């Protein structure tokens, strides 16, 4: 009997023992352990088929639904392998940074520990198990963290459904996620006095380190000077330039654009977006002072901020420097790099009143994000109303002869 028109001839694959309709296809999309790729028919016989990339599936006219189901027969995949495949897919389909990948891995490892404790596997998780995970999360973490982790696990299951590794997504159902106020942290900004006090302390540290190096030149004295000048420059860039901690750590020498009136920074920030940040006259001296110390450190890395060993500074070191500085000035809350960035945003908006310009300086894609970062205090609003004099008639407008009844 003749084969039906349009149906590819089938052959038996010796390796996978699946009936595969490949005769009409030059390539077949497979999910190899190192990520998605297209494999030739010759390679397909020797390459174990794990899954297919849904965004690169051949049209149904080339491979009918029944044949595709047979191609997608998957072997048992461990949780760790599934996580790596998910992160690999994210790396190739999104503009996620290594920080995003690290956050995904941490959140999924937390979920993996829950599965081990419950004796569950990826394909056996149901709605009740998802609710138990949410309940456990709610007792361990803040609402913002709970929502982030659930969102990560939900995306993970959507990926697994795409490659048909699981039958359903238990986290797609309407879960009762805890609410949180996106502006709950906006009050954590330094006052003008606190910021001035912090900058004075940093300048004093540099002066004392220079004096010690002049009195007793030694490797330890130079290390203290390097740490003091680096700390002052990094904090200044975050507080007076609005840079993120990752941007400070990743700043390279080619990002420094020298101008007659000082420096500008041009670099790729979050999401790969390039932005230019002009440095104020207050931030310029601290950076120049640090660069003068940095040239005495033997290093081959292009990073602006390095250690005495010539390696890029650790992001955790920047965080520790901020926390210790906050303790010294008696801050009302823990001082973090993010607080410094939020302080810059609030001060810039208060000085200019132009939130669009502040958005550009911060490198935000959405102006709603800029609104979350800024904090306007009641005294500032009262001063604005008093200076505007809303009850006074405008001088350039003649009084109207028409009265409002």
């Amino acid at each position: 009997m003749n084969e039906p028109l349009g149906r590819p001839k089938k052959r038996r694959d010796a390796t996978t023992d699946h009936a595969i309709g490949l005769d009409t296809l030059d390539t077949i999309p497979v999910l190899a352990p190192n990520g998605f790729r297209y494999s030739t028919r010759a390679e397909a016989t020797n390459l174990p088929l794990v899954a297919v990339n849904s965004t690169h599936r051949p049209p149904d006219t080339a491979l009918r639904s029944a044949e595709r189901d047979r191609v997608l027969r998957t072997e048992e995949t461990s949780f760790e392998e599934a996580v790596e495949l998910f992160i690999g897919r994210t790396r190739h389909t999104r503009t996620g940074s290594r920080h995003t990948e690290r956050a995904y891995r941490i959140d999924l490892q937390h979920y993996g520990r829950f599965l081990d404790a419950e004796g569950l596997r990826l394909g056996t998780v149901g709605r009740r198990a998802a609710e138990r995970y949410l309940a456990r999360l709610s007792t361990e973490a803040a609402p913002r963290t709970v929502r982030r982790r659930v969102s990560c696990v939900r995306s993970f299951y959507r990926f697994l459904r795409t490659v048909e590794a699981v039958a359903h997504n238990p986290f797609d159902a309407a879960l009762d996620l805890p609410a949180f106020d996106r502006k709950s942290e906006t009050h954590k900004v330094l006052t003008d006095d606190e910021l001035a006090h912090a900058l004075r302390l940093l300048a004093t540290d540099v002066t004392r380190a220079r004096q010690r190096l002049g009195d007793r030149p030694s490797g330890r004295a130079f290390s203290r000077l390097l740490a003091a000048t680096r700390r002052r420059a990094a904090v200044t860039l975050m507080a007076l330039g609005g840079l993120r901690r990752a941007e400070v750590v990743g700043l390279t020498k080619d990002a420094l654009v020298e101008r007659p009136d000082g420096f500008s920074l041009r670099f790729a920030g979050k999401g790969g977006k390039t932005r230019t940040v002009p440095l104020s006259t207050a931030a310029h001296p601290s950076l120049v002072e640090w660069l003068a110390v940095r040239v005495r450190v033997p290093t081959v890395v292009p990073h602006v901020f390095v250690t005495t060993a010539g390696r890029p500074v650790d992001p955790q070191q920047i965080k520790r420097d901020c926390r210790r500085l906050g303790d010294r000035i008696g801050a009302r809350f823990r001082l973090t790099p993010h607080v410094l960035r939020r302080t810059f945003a609030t001060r810039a908006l208060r000085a200019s009143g132009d939130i669009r310009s502040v958005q550009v300086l911060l490198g935000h894609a959405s102006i709603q994000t800029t609104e979350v970062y800024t904090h306007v205090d009641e005294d500032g609003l009262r001063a604005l109303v008093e200076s505007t004099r809303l009850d006074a008639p405008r001088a350039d407008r003649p009084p109207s002869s028409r009265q409002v009844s």
Side-chain angles (χ1 to χ4, degrees):
M1 180 180 291
N2 296 331
E3 291 287 341
L5 295 178
R7 185 180 298 276
K9 295 181 180 180
K10 301 175 184 177
R11 64 179 173 81
R12 207 69 169 174
D13 183 80
T15 304
T16 59
D17 198 30
H18 297 323
I20 310 177
L22 294 176
D23 292 345
T24 60
L25 297 176
D26 292 329
T27 60
I28 180 169
V30 297
L31 183 56
N34 59 346
F36 290 112
R37 69 184 182 90
Y38 279 90
S39 173
T40 64
R41 287 186 295 167
E43 292 175 330
T45 59
N46 298 318
L47 184 65
L49 296 180
V50 181
V52 69
N53 184 357
S54 64
T55 60
H56 296 119
R57 285 181 177 175
D60 284 344
T61 55
L63 187 60
R64 302 292 182 115
S65 177
E67 284 89 17
R68 184 171 63 233
D69 290 341
R70 284 188 283 271
V71 171
L72 294 174
R73 297 293 184 198
T74 61
E75 299 177 356
E76 194 69 26
T77 303
S78 69
F79 180 83
E80 292 75 15
E81 291 172 340
V83 169
E84 293 305 319
L85 290 173
F86 169 67
I87 293 177
R89 169 258 191 186
T90 304
R91 183 184 303 120
H92 288 94
T93 58
R94 299 184 182 180
T95 58
S97 66
R98 66 180 184 276
H99 306 290
T100 303
E101 294 178 15
R102 178 176 175 271
Y104 280 165
R105 186 171 280 107
I106 291 174
D107 289 344
L108 292 177
Q109 286 173 351
H110 182 274
Y111 180 63
R113 290 192 293 270
F114 166 78
L115 295 183
D116 291 340
E118 293 279 327
L120 297 171
R121 309 180 76 168
L122 285 172
T124 61
V125 178
R127 170 63 185 267
R128 291 183 181 275
E131 291 177 344
R132 289 198 302 273
Y133 178 64
L134 177 59
R136 178 177 298 185
L137 266 181
S138 301
T139 62
E140 297 175 351
R144 187 189 298 265
T145 304
V146 172
R147 297 179 72 94
R148 190 199 70 229
R149 286 187 169 166
V150 170
S151 176
C152 177
V153 175
R154 181 184 291 124
S155 298
F156 179 50
Y157 269 99
R158 285 176 181 169
F159 164 75
L160 295 179
R161 284 210 64 193
T162 298
V163 300
E164 303 189 11
V166 297
H168 68 286
N169 185 348
F171 289 86
D172 263 346
L175 296 176
D176 188 16
L177 297 177
F180 72 96
D181 183 7
R182 294 192 69 195
K183 292 191 175 185
S184 60
E185 299 288 314
T186 57
H187 68 282
K188 294 183 179 180
V189 297
L190 295 180
T191 64
D192 291 344
D193 292 339
E194 288 174 332
L195 180 59
H197 186 195
L199 296 179
R200 284 196 302 270
L201 285 178
L202 294 173
T204 302
D205 291 344
V206 173
T207 302
R208 289 177 178 174
R210 285 194 180 280
Q211 292 174 350
R212 290 177 181 175
L213 182 62
D215 297 339
R216 287 186 176 182
S218 64
R220 177 174 294 183
F222 177 75
S223 297
R224 289 177 176 174
L225 175 63
L226 183 140
T229 52
R230 184 186 63 203
R231 180 168 58 246
R232 182 189 181 196
V235 170
T236 301
L237 288 182
M238 292 182 288
L240 302 182
L243 272 68
R244 301 177 177 91
R245 179 181 61 170
E247 293 168 346
V248 170
V249 172
L251 200 64
T252 56
K253 291 185 290 185
D254 58 1
L256 304 179
V257 181
E258 194 164 3
R259 301 167 56 90
D261 54 347
F263 278 115
S264 287
L265 303 179
R266 182 173 178 81
F267 55 92
K270 189 175 181 180
K273 298 187 294 290
T274 301
R275 81 177 196 267
T276 301
V277 177
L279 292 185
S280 64
T281 54
H284 178 256
S286 63
L287 185 58
V288 171
E289 191 172 36
W290 159 247
L291 293 176
V293 174
R294 186 195 181 281
V295 297
R296 300 166 62 180
V297 179
T299 180
V300 295
V301 299
H303 296 75
V304 171
F305 293 98
V306 296
T307 64
T308 52
R311 292 189 293 268
V313 66
D314 188 348
Q316 291 300 318
Q317 182 61 52
I318 303 294
K319 185 177 181 179
R320 287 192 293 268
D321 290 341
C322 291
R323 184 177 67 248
R324 292 166 183 164
L325 180 62
D327 294 339
R328 293 174 65 189
I329 66 174
R332 296 156 291 141
F333 37 77
R334 176 174 292 183
L335 183 59
T336 65
H338 208 65
V339 170
L340 294 176
R341 177 172 160 84
R342 194 182 300 121
T343 299
F344 166 80
T346 301
R347 287 166 53 87
L349 180 60
R350 186 174 60 196
S352 66
D354 185 359
I355 194 171
R356 179 70 180 88
S357 298
V358 177
Q359 176 191 357
V360 173
L361 288 174
L362 295 177
H364 289 157
S366 170
I367 201 167
Q368 281 77 18
T369 307
T370 309
E371 292 175 350
V372 172
Y373 272 62
T374 56
H375 171 71
V376 181
D377 55 77
E378 184 178 350
D379 292 339
L381 292 176
R382 180 175 296 279
L384 175 63
V385 172
E386 293 293 342
S387 62
T388 306
R389 293 294 305 276
L390 299 177
D391 58 333
R394 288 180 53 178
D396 58 346
R397 177 183 300 172
S400 176
S401 59
R402 198 170 49 178
Q403 295 184 351
V404 180
S405 57

